[in-house]
């Protein structure tokens, strides 16, 4: 297993503000287009997988 130094580990934690903004916009668009609950669940899943809640 490769050992990481501190600067490399910082890149692994948390999503970038830009990616979280894109997730939020896409979630809002999905809900506005009538996807409702599915859009909200998909948006939260995407945000969680991109580390926006870390």
């Amino acid at each position: 297993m490769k050992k990481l130094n501190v600067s490399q580990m910082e890149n692994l934690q948390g999503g970038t503000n830009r990616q979280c903004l894109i997730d939020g916009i896409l979630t809002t668009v999905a809900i506005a287009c009538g996807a409702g609950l599915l859009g909200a669940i998909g948006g939260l899943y995407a945000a969680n997988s991109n580390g926006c809640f870390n």
Side-chain angles (χ1 to χ4, degrees):
M1 180 182 291
K2 180 181 176 184
K3 292 188 179 186
L4 301 175
N5 61 32
V6 173
S7 65
Q8 291 171 323
M9 290 174 63
E10 287 174 352
N11 292 332
L12 296 175
Q13 289 187 346
T16 63
N17 289 337
R18 179 175 174 234
Q19 185 61 45
C20 293
L21 176 66
I22 292 170
D23 288 343
I25 291 171
L26 291 176
T27 301
T28 304
V29 169
I31 293 170
C33 288
L37 184 61
L38 289 177
I41 291 171
L44 289 173
Y45 178 77
N48 187 43
S49 66
N50 286 329
C52 296
F53 299 124
N54 290 342

